Amino acid sequence: LMVLCYNAVAQTQLLIEKELIKLSLLPELIHNGTLVVDDIEDSSPLRRGKPSLHVAFGVPIAVNAGTFLYYLPTQLIKQATLPTDAKLKIYEMINEEMLSVMVGQGADIFWAQKGAFEVNVAAYFAMCAKKTGALLRMAAKLGVILAHGSAQQLEALAQFAESFGVAFQIKDDVLNLKGQAGKEYGDDITEGKRSLPVIRTLAVAAAKDKERLLQILDLHTTDKQLIREAIEIIEDNGSLDFAEKMAKEMAAESWSKADSVLADSEAKQMLKGLADFMIVR
């Protein structure tokens, strides 16, 4: 995403390819750090179909490794052949977006632990924009900053990245309940997570279904039969289809924000393809 935003905005090749690829490690390292920490916080046994880092090596090593990945990028910025003002802009942007990530993750954890069943769709979208959208905004902004893009391009591509980041999170929630996310089947139910399919079900389900779903969520159970029962309630109320439709609509909307500020190019078409892929994966 960072490299595509750079290539879609840059009028000329401002950075040599080797330098650009090195700087593309910035969002990659930070993203992987958040995954390591997220798996610890959610007690997720799997990541991408394999044992999570804290399962393989223990919580102390995983906490240290995840935190290390947050700070390692500062060395890449320090070593980059960029003007001092550009480095400062990047430092400030990353710190701002990382604070957003932590606030969003905090809301997600709080809702799951406290049984906050009155969470609505608007609050969910705001949480996703902070938790997931911020990481994608970071990558998009970094590409635009390095390409010397305009303030209009920075704003539009940041909004684009945030919107399809939210769409990505919705799709991720759906895949988890379908057992296709490279994580343990239904572990969002075990966490008591207030995902979009859950929030929508609680809003439209009959009182009996709503009460039963809340009971199972608040148990934080690993019982496969109970997890299956919760997912069936969600499916029977059409909430997986609802969530997938919302993700597609958000992805389409996100592209309209980027389309108007970018000249036609191969990088622009690849950006659109990336946004589409987030939904059809």
Side-chain angles (χ1 to χ4, degrees):
L1 177 60
M2 189 211 94
V3 172
L4 287 176
C5 285
Y6 171 86
N7 287 330
V9 169
Q11 298 298 310
T12 58
Q13 193 68 18
L14 301 169
L15 295 170
I16 60 172
E17 187 174 6
K18 184 177 180 182
E19 183 82 352
L20 181 63
I21 296 302
K22 183 183 289 186
L23 287 169
S24 75
L25 290 171
L26 278 164
E28 177 69 11
L29 291 169
I30 291 171
H31 180 216
N32 278 284
T34 65
L35 297 182
V36 172
V37 174
D38 184 69
D39 284 341
I40 297 167
E41 292 170 339
D42 294 344
S43 299
S44 296
L46 297 176
R47 169 63 62 180
R48 296 169 183 163
K50 296 181 179 180
S52 301
L53 200 71
H54 69 280
V55 173
F57 298 100
V59 170
I61 287 177
V63 169
N64 194 61
T67 308
F68 176 73
L69 288 169
Y70 290 159
Y71 289 97
L72 182 58
T74 61
Q75 296 303 303
L76 294 174
I77 301 169
K78 182 179 179 181
Q79 295 166 10
T81 54
L82 296 171
T84 301
D85 61 338
K87 290 183 179 182
L88 179 59
K89 194 171 184 179
I90 292 169
Y91 281 130
E92 290 178 341
M93 182 272 292
I94 289 176
N95 285 335
E96 180 181 313
E97 297 297 0
M98 285 303 291
L99 284 171
S100 182
V101 170
M102 300 308 163
V103 170
Q105 178 72 345
D108 201 18
I109 293 169
F110 179 78
W111 295 344
Q113 291 185 346
K114 300 300 181 182
F117 60 85
E118 294 302 326
V119 176
N120 57 36
V121 172
Y124 171 85
F125 283 159
M127 179 274 291
C128 289
K130 291 183 180 296
K131 175 183 173 180
T132 308
L135 289 168
L136 291 158
R137 280 199 311 268
M138 181 192 302
K141 286 180 177 180
L142 184 57
V144 177
I145 291 170
L146 293 172
H148 300 175
S150 66
Q152 185 184 18
Q153 287 174 322
L154 185 70
E155 175 68 19
L157 285 173
Q159 289 182 2
F160 160 70
E162 178 186 304
S163 293
F164 92 73
V166 175
F168 175 89
Q169 184 64 59
I170 294 170
K171 183 69 175 185
D172 209 49
D173 292 342
V174 171
L175 291 176
N176 183 276
L177 297 177
K178 289 184 174 181
Q180 299 171 355
K183 300 178 77 173
E184 189 73 17
Y185 168 64
D187 63 357
D188 282 356
I189 301 297
T190 300
E191 294 164 29
K193 187 174 180 180
R194 268 49 176 181
S195 63
L196 182 60
V198 167
I199 293 168
R200 198 264 180 179
T201 301
L202 295 176
V204 302
K208 183 179 179 181
D209 278 352
K210 179 178 177 179
E211 182 181 357
R212 182 57 177 158
L213 180 57
L214 285 171
Q215 285 177 346
I216 296 173
L217 290 170
D218 292 343
L219 285 173
H220 299 283
T221 182
T222 57
D223 185 291
K224 299 298 181 187
Q225 187 172 341
L226 288 176
I227 290 172
R228 182 65 240 170
E229 182 184 350
I231 294 172
E232 285 176 355
I233 292 172
I234 293 168
E235 287 179 325
D236 290 346
N237 281 277
S239 296
L240 292 183
D241 291 339
F242 170 85
E244 291 218 70
K245 182 182 177 183
M246 290 287 291
K248 289 178 182 177
E249 290 174 354
M250 291 202 73
E253 180 189 350
S254 75
W255 177 245
S256 68
K257 296 170 184 173
D259 192 19
S260 62
V261 299
L262 297 175
D264 288 336
S265 67
E266 182 182 1
K268 178 179 177 178
Q269 292 308 310
M270 290 179 72
L271 267 178
K272 185 178 188 302
L274 179 61
D276 291 341
F277 169 74
M278 291 295 189
I279 307 308
V280 301
R281 66 192 171 93

